[in-house]
Amino acid sequence: MTDLHEGRVVWVTGAASGIGRATVEEILQEGGFAVGSDLPGSDLSWAEGDERIAVVTGDVADPDHNDAAVNTALERFGRLDGAVLNAGIAGRDDLFGESMELFDRVQEVNVRAVVLGIRSVAKVMRPGSAITVTASTSGMRGDPGMWVYNTSKAAVINLVRSASMDLASRGIRINAVCPGPTETGMTEGPYGEGSPGYEDLRRRMPLQKWGRSSEVAAAHSFLLSTKASQITGVHLPVDGGMSANSGQFTPPSFTL
Ligand SMILES: NC(=O)c1ccc[n+]([C@@H]2O[C@H](COP(=O)([O-])OP(=O)(O)OC[C@H]3O[C@@H](n4cnc5c(N)ncnc54)[C@H](O)[C@@H]3O)[C@@H](O)[C@H]2O)c1
């Protein structure tokens, strides 16, 4: 344990599971306090009994929920120094179908809610504060059958670039983290360890291994911290080198 976030208060969305939970744990390990939020009914029991965490439930697509999470930070800890706008949903649909329902909901959660989160935190953050957003390597390129999700993640990458311009004069930095395949609630099932999908994606990453939530959390932690004080508007891949590959050749296979 070091003290990268000593005394600092960070709100993390999607905190019940995967990258969000790991990021809360990272903030606490680094001496900080956290507000963890997630959907009503999600399992936040792991945070029970820890005075350093306040829990809020609601839908990030609801502006009132975003304000409630920010108010919780102020009421419970007296300040808000960081926000990790991480909650997100996957979604695949038929490009040639008729319904726009899934597309609209994915953009609502993965893009519109990030705007709501930025607006809510910017009202109270002081100079020196920072925001991170969980985008994806899927936002950096196209993937077959993934137009719904990839559109949303590309949008937040450019939202982060543009918002960095408008937040700078308030002394607030904003950056995106772009995980590649990472073992979380979102990827278990068809992409669970041992499945053909898991192995296929593993082979596409030069480091030949899936990411862990803690590895993505470490990137959020760095970008939130004062060590990243000259970094804003970037998107940082945490993807085992996947996005470095032009896609022409499969990376060499090896075991260490
Ligand atoms: N796991 C991966 O391989 C991967 C890769 C790239 C990007 N991501 C992104 O990482 C982020 C975190 O996902 P994860 O992989 O940890 O998955 P996860 O499913 O384990 O966690 C996501 C959390 O977000 C919460 N959530 C979903 N919709 C919400 C809403 N409307 N309001 C509030 N909370 C909501 C869920 O309840 C869940 O607890 C997402 O934005 C996802 O798109 C994941």
Side-chain angles (χ1 to χ4, degrees), residues 6 54 63 70 78 101 122 154 183 194 199 205 211 228 238 242:
E6 192 173 11
V70 169
E101 215 171 295
E183 291 178 9
E199 184 57 16
M205 287 180 272
V238 183
M242 183 180 253

Side-chain angles (χ1 to χ4, degrees), residues 17 19 38 59-60 86 88 134-136 149 153 179-180 182 184-187:
S17 171
I19 294 164
D38 210 300
D59 186 331
V60 286
N86 161 77
T134 307
S136 172
Y149 183 73
K153 293 301 185 180
T182 307
T184 69
M186 186 178 273
T187 52

Side-chain angles (χ1 to χ4, degrees), residues 128-236:
S129 303
I131 301 167
T132 57
V133 177
T134 307
S136 172
T137 47
S138 297
M140 298 166 63
R141 302 272 192 286
D143 291 305
M146 296 273 288
W147 60 283
V148 172
Y149 183 73
N150 287 29
T151 299
S152 73
K153 293 301 185 180
V156 290
I157 288 172
N158 217 30
L159 168 62
V160 161
R161 289 193 192 104
S162 298
S164 71
M165 315 273 157
D166 297 322
L167 289 165
S169 61
R170 295 171 180 238
I172 303 171
R173 296 179 300 102
I174 181 167
N175 293 292
V177 171
C178 293
T182 307
E183 291 178 9
T184 69
M186 186 178 273
T187 52
E188 63 194 15
Y191 290 101
E193 190 170 357
S195 68
Y198 182 95
E199 184 57 16
D200 186 43
L201 286 168
R202 186 189 68 76
R203 280 291 290 116
R204 289 167 198 279
M205 287 180 272
L207 291 182
Q208 299 289 290
K209 66 180 186 67
W210 272 63
R212 294 189 307 270
S213 293
S214 59
E215 293 172 308
V216 182
H220 279 294
S221 176
F222 165 67
L223 289 169
L224 287 174
S225 79
T226 54
K227 289 198 181 293
S229 55
Q230 185 66 352
I231 303 176
T232 195
V234 308
H235 60 284
L236 175 63

Side-chain angles (χ1 to χ4, degrees), residues 93-98 147:
D93 208 354
D94 178 5
L95 181 60
F96 311 106
E98 290 184 0
W147 60 283

